[in-house]
Amino acid sequence: MKVEVSIGPRFAERLLGGVGERMLRRRAERVADLARTYAPGSMAQGITMRVEGRGRGMEAIITSTHPASRYVLHGTAPHVIRPRRARTLRFQAGGRTVYAAVVHHPGTRANDFLGRALRDGL
């Protein structure tokens, strides 16, 4: 599941003052680099940047293609995890292997690394 943040043509034109594609590309590369820096774990490897359009219709799009992007960006509520194909779950905790029939996950706090990169990079 991919998540995108877009620097639209009106915002880009207002921000750049009509300087053009080279300036937009430079700014977008900076935002993408910051997003890779802020992204947790292996999520940084799935962040890409592209510039589309010409003139007033030009926009830069930074995409995170990691399957967990949505959950990291928006966080998760507390939830129960149960095994699907086995009797128990197996995972590492505190350096040891743990087996459990059910896990009560506390949820995760949102980490809007794409929005933060966009704010810091522009």
Side-chain angles (χ1 to χ4, degrees):
M1 174 165 314
K2 69 180 184 175
V3 178
E4 296 180 347
V5 61
S6 177
I7 304 168
R10 286 186 182 158
F11 180 75
E13 185 177 65
R14 189 174 66 236
L15 176 74
L16 302 173
V19 172
E21 182 178 352
R22 190 172 44 202
M23 184 63 134
L24 176 62
R25 186 175 299 279
R26 223 179 283 146
R27 292 283 178 112
E29 286 171 357
R30 176 164 165 66
V31 171
D33 288 343
L34 284 170
R36 289 183 195 102
T37 301
Y38 297 159
S42 64
M43 202 164 284
Q45 297 169 357
I47 296 175
T48 60
M49 186 277 303
R50 70 184 187 278
V51 175
E52 295 181 349
R54 291 274 176 220
R56 291 178 164 255
M58 190 171 41
E59 65 180 341
I61 301 168
I62 294 96
T63 305
S64 177
T65 58
H66 193 281
S69 294
R70 172 184 281 175
Y71 306 115
V72 171
L73 290 170
H74 302 294
T76 62
H79 57 282
V80 175
I81 303 172
R82 297 182 194 282
R84 289 185 178 179
R85 296 178 196 93
R87 297 175 129 193
T88 60
L89 298 166
R90 177 180 173 224
F91 54 95
Q92 298 290 320
R96 60 190 182 101
T97 303
V98 178
Y99 297 90
V102 65
V103 172
H104 296 275
H105 192 284
T108 55
R109 196 169 34 171
N111 175 0
D112 186 13
F113 65 91
L114 283 176
R116 182 173 161 214
L118 184 60
R119 286 187 301 276
D120 293 352
L122 298 178

